[in-house]
Amino acid sequence: MTFLAGLMLFRVIWRLIHPAPPLPDSVGPWSRIGARIVHWGLYGLVIFQICIGFFLASTVETAFVPALIGVDYSSFGLAPASLYGLLHILHAVTYWLIVTAVTVHLAAALKHALVDRDGVFSRMIPGAGGRSS
């Protein structure tokens, strides 16, 4: 969780410093709004999922120590054990919201690549030179 939290922090800072290029004029206003909601929604959901995971791990009595990290998250004491059920439900619901947002994002990317062919998809591929000015 710590590694993923660091990656998400880096990604959000990167996106704030390096904004996405403007969408082509062929992308309608509702698609622009949807793209922004899904893009920032994914960031928010993943960050929320990580936070809920920290709280959830701190509610268990047995040690929760990921092998690669070596930190006992259960010792943080962020939430009482009585919140385990609620946090577990929030964690599961957030998971499905992330899956839904990723599916919508992939569907939109494929639509741009296969149907619209408007250059939006090529902007997502590193080194493809599809970044518009």
Side-chain angles (χ1 to χ4, degrees):
M1 282 191 279
T2 307
F3 178 72
L4 187 56
L7 277 177
M8 282 308 300
L9 179 63
F10 174 78
R11 180 64 180 138
V12 169
I13 290 170
W14 178 270
R15 178 49 67 209
L16 290 172
I17 294 170
H18 301 91
L23 293 168
D25 292 337
S26 62
V27 177
W30 287 109
S31 294
R32 290 173 188 275
I33 292 168
R36 186 169 290 258
I37 290 170
V38 171
H39 184 86
W40 288 104
L42 271 171
Y43 288 157
L45 286 169
V46 171
I47 290 167
F48 184 70
Q49 182 79 322
I50 292 166
C51 292
I52 292 298
F54 279 123
F55 282 93
L56 182 61
S58 75
T59 65
V60 297
E61 292 181 14
T62 57
F64 183 81
V65 184
L68 295 175
I69 307 297
V71 175
D72 183 3
Y73 292 108
S74 56
S75 68
F76 288 179
L78 299 173
S82 61
L83 289 180
Y84 175 83
L86 174 63
L87 292 171
H88 191 269
I89 290 169
L90 275 174
H91 202 63
V93 168
T94 304
Y95 166 81
W96 285 109
L97 290 172
I98 291 169
V99 167
T100 301
V102 167
T103 302
V104 168
H105 186 68
L106 288 172
L110 289 173
K111 177 186 172 284
H112 283 288
L114 304 174
V115 177
D116 297 342
R117 298 178 189 245
D118 55 7
V120 172
F121 184 78
S122 64
R123 297 177 341 156
M124 300 177 211
I125 302 169
R131 296 189 74 81
S132 55
S133 51

